[in-house]
Structures are given as structure tokens and as C-alpha cells.
Amino acid sequence: MIQLQNLKEEDYRGERFSEFHRDLMNNNDLLGLTQPELIYRLHMGYLEGGADIIETNTFNGTTLAQADFDMQEFVEEINKANVACARRAADEMTQRDPSKKRYVAGAVGPTSKTCSVSRNVEDPSERDITFDELVESYGQQIRILYEAGVHIILVETVFDTLNAKAALYAYQEFFEDKQRLPLIVSGTLVDMSGRTLSGQTCEAFLISIQHANPLCVGLNCALGATHMKPFLTNLSDLCPFYVHAYANAGLPNAMGGYDEDPQTFAKNSMEFVTESLVNMVGGCCGTTPDHIRALVDAIEESGAKPRVPAARTHKLMLSGLKEFIFYDNIPFVNVGERCNLSGSLKFKRLMVKEKNYDAALEVAREQVQNGAQVLDINVDDGLIDGVEVMGKFLRLLTSDPDISTVPLMVDSSNFEIIKAGLKCCQGKCIVNSISLKNGEEEFLEEAKVIKKFGGAVVVMAFDEEGQATEVEGKVSIAERAYRLLTEKVGFDPTDIIFDLNILTIATGMEEHNPYAKNYIEATKLIREKLPYCCVSGGLSNLSFSFRGLTDLRESMHSVFLYHAIKNGMNMGIVNAGALPIYEDINTELRDLLEEVIWNNSSDGNHVERLLEYAEKEKQKGSKKSEGKKQQEWRTLSLEERLKHALVKGMGEFIVEDLMEAMTQYPGPLEIIEGPLMGAMGVVGDLFGAGKMFLPQVIKSARVMKQGIAYLEPFMEKKEGAQNNGTILMATVKGDVHDIGKNIVGVVLKCNNFEVIDLGVQVPWEVILQTMKEKKVDVLGLSGLITPSLEHMVNNAKQLESNGYRIPLLIGGATTSKMHTAVKIQPVYSGPTVHVLDASRAVGVASALLDPNLKYSYYEEICEEYEELRKDYYSQQSEKKLKSLSDARANKPKINWNNYEAPKPNIEGVKVFDSQDLRELVNYIDWNPFFSMWQLRGRYPNRSYPRIFNDKRVGEQAKTLYDEACQMLEEIISKKSLTAKAVIGIFEGRSDGDDIEITKDGNTYKFYTFRQQEVNAVDGPSLAMSDFVHPKHDYVGFFAVTVHGAEEIAAEYERNHDDYKSIMVKALADRLVEAYAELLHYKVRTEHWGYVKTESLSSEELIHEKYQGIRPAPGYPSQPDHSEKLTLWEVLDVKNKIGMDLTESLAMTPAASVCGLYFCHPNSRYFNLGPISDEQVEDYARRKGVSVDEVRKWI
């Protein structure tokens, strides 16, 4: 009605606030002070229309709401003035007709704040108001309304139940020592979902606020009567109090007005009356005195009977976002235990050590998905601030609608932590726990607080004498606590839950043997004596004696629950979904457990028998089976010979055995699907179990390929053998490296996957086109160089925009789990997984394609990646960077005055096109070779040649090495690979953070970055230019390559020999690195000659114990790949040695290396680390390119 008065700013201000510093228009509550006659007339209009109750114009009468107008200091005056206006009108109408008293309800609005919802999308734990601040503000308004003379307290338009609970807490506190005014609570559903803004259903809302014992509960605002009806019906069916509804005059129209005329409004609202859904009805937004008059007339004409409040259910009622009522059809309530620092090592690690709240939330989510009906939350730990952590975790949890659907059990031995938890929960929680161990006074004090929050309570079977272990003690404590709670605090019996202490049995101490039996018998007695109460318990204690024997423990829990539930236990803290079915438990074990739980057997030795059984189970778990070596395998059956050949990678007799198989099987397809695939299944199993190694698998695949190549001509053109899925693999555009990808492909084929390999430098358009044509199940992307990461992100975006959701596997040397989690997974909705190496590929692909596993598997991946993202971003925010000027001021202090640049023996460019490969052998670093084949020794046998002594991989490493040496000798003898190099040494100098060199009168500049991270030891902030004299020096450059490996590998592949194909590429990589090492040695000692004598071992060379460095563009010291372009120009690399760059600046052939030479004794390798946007912009300016271009290449 106020809106219909068309008031202006000056009307709101009146004389008193004419000079107020803020606009006051729409501060409707202020009108009680500045326009009291208007407010009085509006009240009179509704009363004359037939209203029995009018509400005060104090909807925004709290200090929190008035703060929006800077009018907090006037709250007392505003409330009192508005109550006076309403009382004047109500009293006048009562005097006119004393037979019908008119009442004033003091309106307490929701404020403009919300205690359950974060307004900050970056931090769902953030709130713009606290529970305590709300209680203080509400308490002040309730006091003023009471003192001013209202008849009723009306907490209305509740969009956030936690706000309302704060108001109810303030209401209860204020009226603790005085006669209460009647309380009405009115919720608001924001849309047709039937939920409040904070997400609760109206039934959950009712359960959350009913502890305040309101006179009436109902709904108002937001919806018109027609839309409100289905939700009001649900509320009315459950509510033991009176029910009201005061709806809007329909839904708001496009202009913010309301279209229902009085007759339509009355007609729609009358459905509430005629169907006995309400005891009170009225109007909210858009309703005028005429609407109320029409409604009153309709009620009087209807003769409808008043609604009878619903009978109390005498069932425990809880709520999260949804209601939970413990009806008889629910035999047992599972309380999820994994969000308890004492019950879950994972949860403790996430919360205490890593502070990874997001991952901890996934622990909660998993429990809900596994059937937990209530979640226990316990953060008691001496290393954390329990009050703060409980508050933050519950704010996060209650912001997640998937988790906060269920009620919570706030669990702590510290009552301050319990209170902190209750202040974050809009639903009705269970408090775990209180007890009588410190006497009745503390017990009653804590119980009263819990009741004011509306919680149910767990009472432990402790008293001043300690923990009850006998039946009589448990029952006695429960009965005493029941009397105190119901008679002195006013608890509803259904809100009382007894934990009778499930204690450990079968410990070897005789006095512990009856604990399970005592619990069950006490439970039966308590449920008979106190039928409306629940009995609960923490199950894990029962089997604590058998730690490490998970199956035995879970079986014990299952047997115990089977009997405890029969005797009245109806709630328990358990690992939801982990228990075996009672009937499925091994009969021997189940019989033993029955005896132990009931502490009864014919000879009394039941505990000893269970302990003996447990010991046997431990021994079984420690035994390792060893397969026998097959001797004289050629005498075995055909199928066994085929299996032996494939598992051992022995192809000598494969064709002979397959010829025999053709006479025994219907056709080649049956041979492939039968013994061959069966044998490869064994290979896959052994590999997955770590009992075969990658080279062995490759050899097995070679024999398999030989066999299929023999059988292929005999096969008819028809659908081939069934496969586990089709996987498309590609090295991304600009990258030519594929050894790792090829290995993964072979392993997948070994495990019956169809693999489509698009090769190297594959643009995303080709990938998408192939996906459409081949209908692939999984896409695998590979890359070795840093720019490939950008292509992978782009490919993921293209998959997303084209509607694909198939699994995406990411692999390659430059990739990482962190990069995948931070950069790739967020841009693609399908499953995205980083695959570390070939040994993981089969398991990942199989899990992602298994309909029974893929969801749970990927949930674990998402949990892990969420942890990684959080860790990454926290590290980014925690790393402190110097300003660029400060970093430059912190450059290393080199005394150039005493330094004379050593003049090289060779200046300019020199080409080496006939390098003897045999000279390179002694410079080979074999460690990356074994790593590439995924053979990793363990300390102290990690490195070559000690890896040969490793018990796990030594034998296979030696075999692989011998075969590599054999191929290397063949390569050298036949000169099938050619090594070429070009170097250049030029005059130069440093120019700030950059390096200038002069060649043939032309100046070239190489650009470098400078470290900016503040480090713990406050060392210098390095740039590569620091190692070059600022006035005159020399700088070297090199490019080295090995030609021929791709051609040899292709020939091997045509002959179905992937093993040798991969081997020759791996050796080419080792040779080019060896050549780079040899060439650097010759540069140091001959071509530049800045070191006259040098005598270093191979290991010292590998660990770079020499003077000078040879850093490469695209690596940690200088991550900009585009610096290769200048190097190519200076050395004329392509024309000199046939070495080229792709558009992503990957080098071809793949076995290629390039870099710079620095000779200063202080020069060293370093990791650039994080740099600021300031430096990137400065670098781009110096280089004359865009910032985006710089970011592309680093």
C-alpha cells in the first residue's frame, strides 16, 4: 500500500531529516516517524476491511537493515513509532467492537543479509553476516517491539532459515525470564521449486524452526495463492501448529505490479480455507484493504471448518536442505563417519596437513552417495583451531546442495566447537554429544543451549563415576538424563539419542568380553522404557583389536548390527556402504563372531578361536604366490605353447604353432579371439600387477603382431575381433616426438584396444574429423615440448565446443598432472586424465570405459585434481615476487674489472657433417634411456650401471641394455644414422637483461628473463645475460641433430616390429645428446679453448661439473621457444645441417638439440620460476611483440 501512495524523497525525509546526508526514499519504516498519520490510516484501512491482525511497519526495523540508510541510531525510535501507529489503529477498532479484539504483530524481517549463502563466488565459505551479529540485532528489535506493546512477534518472509534461527534464538533468550508473547514464523519460497532462497523445502524449514514452539507457521510473499498451494499442502500435513498463508496478489508483472483483483485473489486464497490447509489467511504484496475485505466476505459465506493441527509424529525429525523423518519404514539410520578427524586418516590429512577443504568436501559427498542419511562432522585436533575450522568447513558444506541435503551431526568434545557448528547450520542438527560426567549443572546448561538452536542431542552413557560398561549402569544413566532433559529443559523425547558406548571386544582381557552383549541388552531395555528415544553408537570401536584385518572387522560389524538392530539400536556411526550382508559372511567366521559378540560358547574358548582365525588371515595376506618356470615348453599343448611364446616374447615358433592352430580351429578369427587374445590378457594382467616390464610387453606385442600378420591373409572380410574400445592417439600440432605415445599404443593393443595413431604434428581439425569418422571412445594427446601444452588446451576447448564428452588422456614429457588439472580439465566437460606412463594407460582407459566403474573412478580423479588446483593457486598467491626493478638491482655481483673474455680459437660458424658415431658412445647418458622404457631402479641401484643390480628391474634392464648395444653396434657398423652439428662463436655483450652479438657486421639480440621470486636465502635474481660482460665478451651457439632414425623406424613398423622401431628412436635420442655433450667438451677445450685441460669422468660430465653452460631456449632458464628463430638465423641451421623448426618451434628431426654457450666461471643453470605481468610486458616491449605472443611461447 505504501507504494500506491506515490511518495517522494521529501515525504520520507519530513522536516526532521530534511538535511540528512543519505537518500531516504523507500525506507518505509522511517515513515512511522516522518508520516505517522499516513501509516495509521493504512492500518485502519486493513482493519476496516476485516483484518484481525495487522503487522507493524517494522520489516526493516533492525540495525542491520537500517544500516543501508545509515540510520542505525534511530532504530529504537522507528520501531516504537511504528508500534504506536499500529496500536492506535488496533485499539480504536477494538473500542468500536469490543467483541472482536484486534491484534498487533511486531514484524521482524529477514534483513538484507544472508547467513547461509556466500555472495562471493570465489569463496563459498564467506558470509556477509555472522549468526551472533544477527542475534544481537534481532534481540534489540524484539526487545523494542515488546516494550512498545505489540501482542505477537512475527518473524516473517524467511528466505534464509539460518537468519530465522538467529531471530528465534534472540526471541528465546529475551523471553527466558518473562512471559512469552505468541510467536508466528512465516517462510518464503522463491520460485516453483518450492524452496527458500537458501535451498530448503518447506518441510525442512518447519522442522528447523519448530523448537521455538510457535503459535503459527506458514508461508507468505513471493508466490501467488495458486502457485503456493502445493507447498502449503505439504507444510499443513506435517505441521503440529496452526498454519497460515498470506500470499501476494498473484505473481509480479513485467512492471513490478500485481494483477489479481480482490475477487480473484479471494477465490484463489479460499482454496486454502475450504481444503482445511490453514487456520489463518491474509494478504502480502499487492493486496489492498479491498483484497482483505473480499477474502473476509468469502470466508464468512463459506462456513468452512477450521483446520485441525497435525498430530505429532513421535518420530525423530531432522533436516538439511530436505527433511528427514525417522518413520517406521526406516530400520536404521546410517551416520557417515568419514568426516571425523579421529575416524579417517584421509580426512585428517586433507583438513589438518593440507587444509584442502574442497577435497574434504568430496569425502562428505562420497558418503552421501553411498547412503549416509546423516553426516557426522568432527574436527577435534590439537593442531588446529577447532572453532574456526568447524565454522569454515560447515559453511562450505552447507553451500554445496548435493551434500547439505542430508542433516548433520555436529560432533566434538569441546562445546565451543559444537556451538560454532550450530551457528552455521540452517537445518536441524544432531549434537554429539553431552554427558553427565561433569555433573548435572554443566549437562543442563549445555542442553539448554542445544535446545535454543533446535538440535537433537546425543547423550553418552557417562556419569560422575565414569563410563558405564554394565547393563544396569547404561540404563540408569539413560533414565536419569531423560528425566533431566524432558522435565528441566523441555526436550521432546524424540530429540534424545542415547549412545550406550560400543566398546572393544576380544582384546584378550576377560572383562572386555561381555561388552557387545551388554550394549545389546541395554539397548533393548531402554527402547522398551523410553520408546520415543533413539539408541546409537560408534561401530569402529567394537573391532579395534583387529586393526589391519578389514574384512574381519566389517564382518564383525555386520553381525553385531544384525542383532543390535533387532534389539532396538536404530542409529549408528558407520562407514556407509562398506558392510557385508550378514548372510554372505563366511559361515565359519560368522559362527565365531556370533559366539564372541554374545560371549557364549560351549567351551568358553570363543575369543581364543577368533584370535587364531585372525592370525591365519594375517598369514594368508603376507604370502606371495610364485609361478613355476615352464621347462621344455615345446612339449606343452598348442594353447600353452602359444601363451608361452607371447608372454615370453619368443617369436621363433609362432608361425609354426599358428599353422597347427589353423588345423584345429574353425578359422583365424577364432585363433585370434581365443588363444592369442587370452595370452595377451595374461600379459596385460602381469604388466598391471608389476610382474612384467615394458620391454617385455613390447616384445610380446611384436610376437602378437607377427602372428596376426601370418593369419591376416586367411581372414575373410568381416568384422574383426571384439575390442575393449577404440582409442585415437595423436602428437599435437607442431610436435614431432612420438616414442612415448607409440609405447602407450602398443600396450593398449596388447590389452585388446583398437588404437588409431594419427602420428605427429596433428592439427585439431584432423583429430575432430577422425573422431567423427571412426566414432572413437577415447582420445589421447601427446606432446614433448612446452608449446604443445597450449595446443592441448586448445584441443580440449575444441572438443568442448563441438559437443564431445569422451575421455581425454594427456601424456608426454612436458605434460604433468598439475598442468592437466589447472589448465586442461577446467575447459573440457568430459573426463580428463593425465597418464604418467604406459603402465597406467590400460587401467585408466579401462576404468573410464567400464560402465560400472567410470563414474566412481573419475570422481576420485576430480577430487585429486581439485586438490591440485587448490594447491597450485594457493602457492601462486603465497609466492612473493620482487618488482622488476628490485630484481634487476639484485642481479649477481660479478667483478668484470678483473675479467678478460677468453678469445675463441674459432670465430664465426663451423659445420661438422661427418661425426664418427663410435666416438659418441662413451658420452651416452643411459639413465634417460631406462627411464623412457620405464625401468626404474631403487636406491642405491637407481642409476646406470648400478640399475643392473636392482632386484626388481635389474635383469630386464641388463637384457634391454645388451639389445640396445647390439643395435647400436649395427647402426655404427652400417653407418645407418648420421650425426651433424653447427656451432658459432661471436663477439657480444650484455645489454641489461638481453644479449647482443655481432656477425658479419650485423647485430642480433637474444632476450632473457630475470628471476623475481623472493627466496628464503635471499640469493641473487638471475638472468642469462648476467653471465656476459656488459662491454665485450664472446657468446656461442650450437645445433646438433641425428638423421635417419625415422626412416629406419618406419621400415621396422612395416615389418610389425614396434620394439625395434622404438629402440632406434631411443638410441638416436641418446646419440644426439651424447654429441651435444662431446661437442661442448670440444668447444671448451679446442674450438673456444677457454679451458686448456679437462679430465672429467662420464658421470661428472653427466652432472655438469665443467666450466660453462649450454642452456636451450624453451627450458627452465629461458622458457621462450621463439628465441630458436634467432639462433636458426645466426647459424643458418637449416641449410647447414638440414635441421628445421615446425610452426610450434619443435625441432626436426626429433633427435635434435640446440642452445647457447656461456663460458664465464660463474655461469650456471637455474630455474626462472614465476615472473610478474610487469616483466612479461617489459619483455614484450623490448622484443617488439605482443604480450599474448610472449605468453604463447613461454
Side-chain angles (χ1 to χ4, degrees):
M1 280 294 290
I2 290 176
Q3 281 71 26
L4 296 178
Q5 310 308 307
N6 297 315
L7 301 177
K8 297 181 173 59
E9 176 70 26
E10 55 266 30
D11 298 317
Y12 282 89
R13 288 177 175 270
E15 287 187 22
R16 180 176 177 184
F17 299 102
S18 60
E19 302 300 323
F20 197 73
H21 64 280
R22 288 284 300 273
D23 289 344
L24 299 177
M25 191 167 178
N26 295 322
N27 186 354
N28 294 336
D29 298 48
L30 181 60
L31 296 173
L33 279 176
T34 59
Q35 302 291 338
E37 286 300 315
L38 170 62
I39 300 303
Y40 160 75
R41 287 199 307 272
L42 295 180
H43 284 313
M44 285 299 294
Y46 285 111
L47 290 168
E48 289 170 345
D52 298 295
I53 302 172
I54 55 172
E55 60 176 275
T56 56
N57 182 37
T58 55
F59 186 83
N60 290 311
T62 58
T63 51
L64 294 172
Q66 284 300 311
D68 294 339
F69 297 95
D70 283 351
M71 300 203 78
Q72 305 96 305
E73 63 182 288
F74 304 106
V75 160
E76 185 138 356
E77 287 185 74
I78 288 171
N79 279 277
K80 286 183 175 179
N82 278 296
V83 174
C85 292
R87 278 299 302 261
R88 175 185 168 194
D91 293 348
E92 186 175 324
M93 287 301 295
T94 301
Q95 288 176 356
R96 290 186 193 179
D97 182 7
S99 65
K100 184 177 181 181
K101 184 174 180 178
R102 308 303 172 93
Y103 296 92
V104 172
V108 179
T111 81
S112 57
K113 310 290 186 180
T114 169
C115 205
S116 289
V117 181
S118 174
R119 299 182 191 272
N120 183 355
V121 296
E122 302 295 330
D123 183 4
S125 73
E126 184 179 305
R127 299 291 185 270
D128 54 11
I129 194 70
T130 68
F131 187 88
D132 290 338
E133 288 169 336
L134 282 167
V135 170
E136 181 181 1
S137 187
Y138 281 131
Q140 180 187 23
Q141 187 184 24
I142 290 169
R143 174 188 59 78
I144 299 168
L145 292 172
Y146 172 80
E147 292 174 353
V150 299
H151 305 109
I152 300 165
I153 298 296
L154 170 59
V155 179
E156 69 163 340
T157 317
V158 175
F159 62 79
D160 180 348
T161 310
L162 189 52
N163 282 33
K165 288 177 74 172
L168 300 181
Y169 195 96
Y171 168 85
Q172 293 172 95
E173 280 203 321
F174 179 73
F175 287 107
E176 256 181 351
D177 58 355
K178 56 182 67 72
Q179 180 66 41
R180 288 189 176 191
L181 292 182
L183 173 68
I184 297 176
V185 184
S186 190
T188 293
L189 308 179
V190 294
D191 54 34
M192 290 305 296
S193 68
R195 292 178 182 259
T196 62
L197 181 66
S198 55
Q200 277 196 316
T201 64
C202 56
E203 297 97 321
F205 162 70
L206 169 65
I207 293 169
S208 300
I209 59 91
Q210 65 182 358
H211 62 282
N213 198 29
L215 172 71
C216 189
V217 179
L219 301 175
N220 77 287
C221 204
L223 303 176
T226 302
H227 298 97
M228 185 186 286
K229 182 183 173 183
F231 311 116
L232 185 67
T233 302
N234 294 338
L235 179 68
S236 182
D237 288 344
L238 185 63
C239 185
F241 313 109
Y242 293 127
V243 170
H244 70 260
Y246 49 109
N248 293 343
L251 296 174
N253 58 33
M255 303 304 295
Y258 295 87
D259 297 328
E260 280 188 357
D261 58 35
Q263 287 68 40
T264 304
F265 170 77
K267 177 178 177 294
N268 292 337
S269 295
M270 277 303 295
E271 293 185 22
F272 304 157
V273 177
T274 57
E275 295 183 27
S276 299
L277 301 179
V278 295
N279 303 94
M280 181 173 71
V281 70
C284 197
C285 300
T287 58
T288 67
D290 289 337
H291 288 79
I292 299 303
R293 184 175 292 108
L295 184 56
V296 170
D297 291 343
I299 292 171
E300 291 177 349
E301 292 175 5
S302 71
K305 295 181 180 179
R307 167 187 174 272
V308 176
R312 291 191 177 269
T313 62
H314 297 299
K315 304 295 180 186
L316 173 63
M317 304 173 78
L318 305 169
S319 62
L321 293 183
K322 294 179 68 175
E323 69 282 359
F324 177 81
I325 304 175
F326 200 171
Y327 287 123
D328 291 338
N329 63 344
I330 303 173
F332 186 79
V333 174
N334 291 304
V335 181
E337 66 174 350
R338 310 312 293 170
C339 289
N340 186 321
L341 295 185
S342 300
S344 169
L345 291 176
K346 177 181 180 181
F347 186 71
K348 183 172 183 177
R349 170 176 56 81
L350 294 173
M351 292 288 286
V352 178
K353 183 179 179 181
E354 300 176 11
K355 296 179 174 55
N356 191 337
Y357 287 86
D358 289 342
L361 286 177
E362 293 304 315
V363 176
R365 188 191 314 279
E366 182 180 352
Q367 292 179 90
V368 175
Q369 293 169 344
N370 285 341
Q373 293 144 301
V374 176
L375 282 183
D376 179 75
I377 312 294
N378 183 298
V379 296
D380 287 358
D381 188 272
L383 296 178
I384 61 175
D385 183 339
V387 170
E388 179 184 345
V389 171
M390 176 66 85
K392 181 172 182 177
F393 184 66
L394 287 186
R395 288 194 298 274
L396 287 167
L397 188 151
T398 54
S399 298
D400 189 315
D402 294 333
I403 305 172
S404 57
T405 294
V406 302
L408 301 177
M409 177 179 281
V410 181
D411 185 354
S412 179
S413 58
N414 182 335
F415 199 67
E416 292 304 311
I417 296 176
I418 286 174
K419 288 197 293 184
L422 292 173
K423 291 174 183 178
C424 298
C425 301
Q426 64 173 325
K428 179 179 177 180
C429 302
I430 301 171
V431 169
N432 187 12
S433 59
I434 62 174
S435 76
L436 287 160
K437 64 182 178 182
N438 292 327
E440 290 187 3
E441 183 178 351
E442 180 181 292
F443 178 81
L444 291 171
E445 183 180 320
E446 292 178 347
K448 288 174 183 177
V449 172
I450 294 167
K451 188 175 187 303
K452 277 194 281 191
F453 278 104
V457 64
V458 174
V459 179
M460 298 293 294
F462 284 80
D463 63 8
E464 296 87 342
E465 302 300 319
Q467 179 173 253
T469 59
E470 303 300 322
V471 175
E472 295 77 9
K474 294 176 189 287
V475 174
S476 174
I477 291 173
E479 290 183 318
R480 177 185 172 199
Y482 179 87
R483 288 193 301 271
L484 291 170
L485 290 173
T486 56
E487 296 173 9
K488 293 194 175 184
V489 186
F491 258 85
D492 187 314
T494 62
D495 286 337
I496 302 172
I497 303 160
F498 293 108
D499 185 331
L500 302 180
N501 306 331
I502 300 177
L503 303 174
T504 306
I505 58 174
T507 64
M509 298 177 67
E510 189 174 351
E511 60 267 30
H512 296 170
N513 292 348
Y515 282 169
K517 178 185 177 185
N518 291 350
Y519 178 95
I520 294 171
E521 291 180 351
T523 296
K524 186 174 188 296
L525 288 172
I526 289 171
R527 290 303 308 280
E528 290 172 352
K529 292 172 177 284
L530 310 172
Y532 298 143
C533 299
C534 294
V535 174
S536 180
L539 209 55
S540 60
N541 286 341
L542 180 74
S543 60
F544 197 67
S545 295
F546 301 99
R547 296 185 303 278
L549 296 175
T550 303
D551 290 345
L552 190 153
R553 294 190 71 180
E554 290 177 350
S555 296
M556 178 181 282
H557 298 166
S558 181
V559 174
F560 175 83
L561 282 179
Y562 177 78
H563 296 290
I565 291 171
K566 279 186 174 183
N567 284 275
M569 180 185 181
N570 53 4
M571 182 181 291
I573 300 177
V574 300
N575 186 0
L579 300 182
I581 298 171
Y582 177 81
E583 295 296 336
D584 292 344
I585 299 171
N586 172 275
T587 303
E588 178 191 1
L589 174 59
R590 192 174 66 208
D591 290 345
L592 282 172
L593 293 172
E594 291 274 358
E595 291 179 343
V596 170
I597 285 168
W598 287 111
N599 192 29
N600 182 42
S601 62
S602 57
D603 59 2
N605 293 325
H606 43 276
V607 172
E608 289 74 12
R609 282 194 292 274
L610 182 60
L611 294 174
E612 290 173 5
Y613 180 93
E615 187 59 35
K616 291 178 182 177
E617 290 300 302
K618 286 182 181 178
Q619 292 174 1
K620 286 181 183 178
S622 65
K623 290 181 179 178
K624 295 181 180 179
S625 58
E626 298 181 2
K628 293 182 178 180
K629 292 183 178 180
Q630 296 288 344
Q631 302 296 328
E632 305 294 328
W633 69 278
R634 295 303 300 160
T635 64
L636 300 173
S637 67
L638 171 64
E639 288 75 12
E640 287 298 319
R641 295 199 306 273
L642 288 171
K643 182 171 76 172
H644 185 85
L646 266 70
V647 171
K648 298 298 182 182
M650 301 169 63
E652 181 181 0
F653 301 100
I654 188 67
V655 172
E656 178 184 325
D657 287 340
L658 289 175
M659 291 174 63
E660 180 181 342
M662 288 291 290
T663 67
Q664 298 184 21
Y665 284 81
L669 186 59
E670 286 75 13
I671 298 173
I672 293 171
E673 291 183 330
L676 293 188
M677 284 301 183
M680 292 312 295
V682 173
V683 171
D685 291 341
L686 292 171
F687 182 61
K691 296 178 181 177
M692 281 186 72
F693 300 101
L694 188 58
Q696 296 167 303
V697 174
I698 300 296
K699 289 181 179 180
S700 297
R702 176 176 61 188
V703 177
M704 178 72 167
K705 278 193 169 185
Q706 291 172 352
I708 292 176
Y710 169 77
L711 294 172
E712 225 167 20
F714 301 101
M715 296 176 66
E716 298 178 8
K717 290 188 177 181
K718 61 181 180 179
E719 185 175 345
Q722 294 295 314
N723 63 65
N724 288 328
T726 301
I727 300 180
L728 178 67
M729 302 183 69
T731 299
V732 295
K733 186 177 180 180
D735 203 322
V736 298
H737 300 85
D738 66 350
I739 294 179
K741 172 175 64 66
N742 292 347
I743 292 174
V744 171
V746 170
V747 173
L748 288 168
K749 289 175 184 177
C750 292
N751 286 270
N752 208 18
F753 287 92
E754 179 184 358
V755 176
I756 303 170
D757 191 341
L758 295 180
V760 299
Q761 298 204 75
V762 185
W764 66 264
E765 297 92 340
V766 174
I767 293 173
L768 288 178
Q769 184 61 36
T770 307
M771 289 174 65
K772 292 176 183 176
E773 293 173 357
K774 302 296 184 179
K775 298 181 179 178
V776 300
D777 301 302
V778 177
L779 172 63
L781 297 179
S782 177
L784 180 73
I785 61 175
T786 303
S788 298
L789 299 177
E790 182 182 352
H791 285 296
M792 290 181 175
V793 174
N794 181 58
N795 286 357
K797 291 178 178 177
Q798 294 298 334
L799 290 174
E800 180 74 15
S801 63
N802 282 274
Y804 284 97
R805 298 295 182 269
I806 66 170
L808 172 61
L809 308 186
I810 302 296
T814 194
T815 66
S816 67
K817 189 181 292 185
M818 180 67 79
H819 180 269
T820 303
V822 173
K823 297 290 187 180
I824 302 178
Q825 191 193 50
V827 303
Y828 180 50
S829 301
T832 307
V833 182
H834 178 257
V835 182
L836 181 63
D837 53 38
S839 69
R840 314 304 206 278
V842 173
V844 172
S846 299
L848 291 173
L849 294 180
D850 188 327
N852 297 318
L853 293 176
K854 60 182 179 181
Y855 297 111
S856 59
Y857 172 76
Y858 193 55
E859 282 173 6
E860 291 184 9
I861 295 293
C862 290
E863 176 183 331
E864 181 182 10
Y865 285 12
E866 185 61 30
E867 289 184 45
L868 289 172
R869 278 192 291 274
K870 185 170 182 179
D871 183 60
Y872 172 84
Y873 288 122
S874 68
Q875 288 180 6
Q876 299 308 300
S877 62
E878 290 169 4
K879 286 183 177 178
K880 295 182 179 179
L881 301 181
K882 298 181 177 76
S883 68
L884 185 56
S885 60
D886 287 346
R888 285 171 174 163
N890 191 47
K891 67 190 296 183
K893 305 298 188 286
I894 296 177
N895 185 359
W896 294 111
N897 295 327
N898 298 326
Y899 178 77
E900 183 178 350
K903 184 177 177 62
N905 296 323
I906 297 175
E907 283 192 63
V909 176
K910 182 174 180 61
V911 176
F912 306 88
D913 56 7
S914 58
Q915 172 61 43
D916 181 1
L917 297 184
R918 194 172 298 281
E919 188 181 5
L920 303 181
V921 173
N922 289 335
Y923 288 86
I924 291 176
D925 179 3
W926 287 101
N927 290 310
F929 175 80
F930 293 114
S931 294
M932 188 277 295
W933 287 98
Q934 297 173 28
L935 291 175
R936 299 180 179 93
R938 296 175 180 172
Y939 182 84
N941 300 315
R942 184 173 297 166
S943 303
Y944 167 84
R946 289 186 295 272
I947 190 174
F948 300 148
N949 300 324
D950 188 83
K951 292 181 180 179
R952 182 170 172 269
V953 302
E955 183 179 349
Q956 183 56 45
K958 186 63 169 67
T959 301
L960 179 69
Y961 174 75
D962 291 343
E963 293 176 355
C965 289
Q966 182 180 344
M967 178 178 283
L968 183 60
E969 179 60 35
E970 184 178 335
I971 288 170
I972 294 171
S973 300
K974 294 182 178 180
K975 298 183 178 180
S976 48
L977 297 180
T978 303
K980 296 185 177 185
V982 57
I983 65 169
I985 306 173
F986 309 96
E987 288 190 70
R989 70 180 187 89
S990 63
D991 178 19
D993 289 349
D994 304 321
I995 301 167
E996 287 184 353
I997 65 106
T998 302
K999 175 192 174 189
D1000 299 332
N1002 297 315
T1003 299
Y1004 299 86
K1005 181 168 282 192
F1006 287 81
Y1007 299 89
T1008 79
F1009 289 101
R1010 182 170 298 282
Q1011 291 176 318
Q1012 285 185 270
E1013 185 176 357
V1014 177
N1015 55 55
V1017 296
D1018 197 27
S1021 302
L1022 300 175
M1024 286 199 300
S1025 62
D1026 295 336
F1027 309 133
V1028 180
H1029 197 293
K1031 292 183 178 180
H1032 180 265
D1033 210 329
Y1034 293 91
V1035 182
F1037 305 88
F1038 72 95
V1040 184
T1041 189
V1042 170
H1043 291 279
E1046 285 81 358
E1047 293 77 8
I1048 298 173
E1051 180 63 29
Y1052 282 133
E1053 289 171 6
R1054 282 191 289 273
N1055 293 324
H1056 311 292
D1057 198 337
D1058 288 308
Y1059 178 74
K1060 286 187 176 180
S1061 171
I1062 294 171
M1063 180 68 83
V1064 73
K1065 291 180 182 180
L1067 288 173
D1069 274 354
R1070 292 301 88 221
L1071 286 169
V1072 77
E1073 291 288 355
Y1075 194 9
E1077 198 64 73
L1078 171 64
L1079 194 59
H1080 193 197
Y1081 167 75
K1082 290 186 175 182
V1083 165
R1084 294 192 302 272
T1085 58
E1086 299 175 23
H1087 308 312
W1088 194 333
Y1090 60 83
V1091 175
K1092 300 305 180 185
T1093 59
E1094 182 181 279
S1095 179
L1096 298 175
S1097 67
S1098 297
E1099 190 167 353
E1100 287 173 323
L1101 287 173
I1102 290 170
H1103 288 92
E1104 300 155 354
K1105 298 300 183 182
Y1106 41 74
Q1107 179 182 326
I1109 57 173
R1110 53 179 180 92
Y1115 281 78
S1117 299
Q1118 169 38 311
D1120 184 359
H1121 282 267
S1122 69
E1123 288 297 289
K1124 294 174 189 172
L1125 296 170
T1126 307
L1127 189 152
W1128 247 247
E1129 184 179 355
V1130 169
L1131 295 181
D1132 192 18
V1133 174
K1134 183 175 181 181
N1135 291 325
K1136 291 290 195 290
I1137 59 174
M1139 182 175 162
D1140 205 352
L1141 294 172
T1142 70
E1143 64 179 42
S1144 289
L1145 302 182
M1147 294 175 287
T1148 61
S1152 298
V1153 180
C1154 72
L1156 287 76
Y1157 290 135
F1158 297 96
C1159 72
H1160 194 278
N1162 287 3
S1163 61
R1164 60 187 173 92
Y1165 296 103
F1166 61 89
N1167 192 330
L1168 178 65
I1171 59 175
S1172 66
D1173 291 341
E1174 176 194 15
Q1175 180 166 188
V1176 174
E1177 291 165 3
D1178 182 81
Y1179 183 92
R1181 178 187 54 76
R1182 298 189 333 253
K1183 196 167 181 176
V1185 298
S1186 69
V1187 171
D1188 288 342
E1189 183 73 9
V1190 173
R1191 294 190 187 282
K1192 176 180 179 181
W1193 296 113
I1194 64 175

